[in-house]
Amino acid sequence: MQGTVDGFSYGLVTPLVAYFMACLGGALGLRCTTRSMLVSQSWRPGWLALGSAAIGSGIWTMHFVAMMGFTVRGTPIHYDKAMTFASLAVAIVMVGVGIFIVGYRGARGTALFTGGTITGLGIASMHYLGMASMSLDGKLEYNTVTVGISVAIAMAAATAALWAAGQVRGFLWSVGASLVMGLAVSGMHYTGMAALSVHLHGTSEPTTGDSPASLLAPMLIGPLSFLLLAGVVVMFDPLMVMGKPAAVPVEHKPGIPAHTHVRHSARRLRFRPRRTVEHRGSRTPQNR
């Protein structure tokens, strides 16, 4: 029996909140990635790790906030907690691999393509692993073509976002990139949901059960708290509004510039002929 799927049980509330969470995680993560390119090597891994966790937590939270509005008429939905949090770990790890590649290799060429591809696959893997954590009296089936489109959207969004992070053009640039990334991630989510169809087994009587919101809300507390703390760390960073690197480059550190020695040597060469002429002139009257 074909199940009736409703992805907007609360109207536009869950899509808008989900989009906001995707933008928040993207803004924090991209900002940390950009910031990592302006600090010394010792601080770079910390900023990249924070960015990976922020983006991973943001897209994971976006997914399950959107899933609060997902219902299937005739069967309650439950979520396997272990698999749900495994999807969060997959998102953070795979996004982290992509971000570290761009952070150390630069946001161009092969590094950008590789990092964007891995990050996009991480987003898609998180989505479909999160869908696999659902248990209901039915079977989930997907349209292969639509699934492929959703994965392509995730990869394109991740590549564009990492490219924007590598431009190092300021806070507003990162905000604009995060808005685009949030839109793309949300688009990927609902494209993937459009590929879904549910076939009910009909082996149990329809029950109301717990709502998806009551099941998912406790799971979201941790990632939401982390995003809040990450936001505090980023906002209190003195170089949040883009400007100068945290570490002064070696060639600009205080000291005696190299060209100073060149000036001294030039002066010496310039004065030597004068001293010679004056010295000869002073001897001439004495010899006479």
Side-chain angles (χ1 to χ4, degrees):
M1 181 176 64
Q2 186 74 24
T4 302
V5 176
D6 185 5
F8 303 94
S9 299
Y10 298 98
L12 293 177
V13 175
T14 48
L16 291 178
V17 175
Y19 172 69
F20 173 76
M21 298 311 302
C23 292
L24 177 61
L28 294 175
L30 295 179
R31 188 59 199 165
C32 291
T33 304
T34 302
R35 187 69 175 82
S36 71
M37 299 177 183
L38 300 175
V39 297
S40 60
Q41 292 288 336
S42 59
W43 285 93
R44 183 171 297 181
W47 282 106
L48 292 175
L50 182 61
S52 305
I55 294 179
S57 299
I59 60 177
W60 185 87
T61 306
M62 173 268 154
H63 172 82
F64 285 102
V65 167
M67 291 305 294
M68 287 182 177
F70 177 79
T71 58
V72 179
R73 186 177 301 174
T75 179
I77 299 175
H78 300 280
Y79 290 87
D80 181 84
K81 292 185 178 180
M83 191 174 294
T84 299
F85 287 113
S87 66
L88 173 61
V90 168
I92 293 176
V93 170
M94 293 191 68
V95 169
V97 172
I99 285 181
F100 268 79
I101 290 175
V102 171
Y104 279 94
R105 298 292 182 180
R108 64 172 67 90
T110 305
L112 176 62
F113 175 78
T114 305
T117 299
I118 295 176
T119 301
L121 291 176
I123 296 173
S125 299
M126 179 280 306
H127 173 86
Y128 289 105
L129 186 57
M131 294 298 294
S133 68
M134 291 193 309
S135 61
L136 45 80
D137 184 29
K139 180 182 179 182
L140 303 181
E141 295 182 355
Y142 295 93
N143 181 279
T144 306
V145 175
T146 310
V147 169
I149 294 174
S150 69
V151 175
I153 292 175
M155 293 170 59
T159 303
L162 292 179
W163 174 83
Q167 299 308 302
V168 195
R169 292 187 181 179
F171 177 64
L172 294 180
W173 180 266
S174 296
V175 170
S178 67
L179 294 177
V180 176
M181 183 179 182
L183 183 62
V185 171
S186 298
M188 175 268 160
H189 171 84
Y190 286 105
T191 302
M193 296 304 294
L196 174 67
S197 61
V198 180
H199 294 274
L200 298 180
H201 295 154
T203 56
S204 62
E205 296 181 359
T207 56
T208 55
D210 295 331
S211 65
S214 62
L215 293 171
L216 294 174
M219 301 182 188
L220 297 175
I221 295 176
L224 285 174
S225 301
F226 171 79
L227 288 175
L228 177 62
L229 292 176
V232 171
V233 171
V234 173
M235 290 302 297
F236 279 91
D237 178 62
L239 295 180
M240 182 60 188
V241 178
M242 188 59 58
K244 302 176 182 179
V248 180
V250 177
E251 61 270 16
H252 293 133
K253 286 185 177 180
I256 301 176
H259 57 75
T260 305
H261 299 285
V262 178
R263 290 180 180 178
H264 287 307
S265 60
R267 289 178 181 176
R268 290 176 182 176
L269 292 175
R270 207 182 305 160
F271 290 153
R272 283 176 183 174
R274 293 181 182 179
R275 290 178 180 176
T276 304
V277 173
E278 292 177 0
H279 187 64
R280 289 178 180 177
S282 61
R283 284 184 178 181
T284 303
Q286 294 178 1
N287 292 336
R288 286 179 181 178

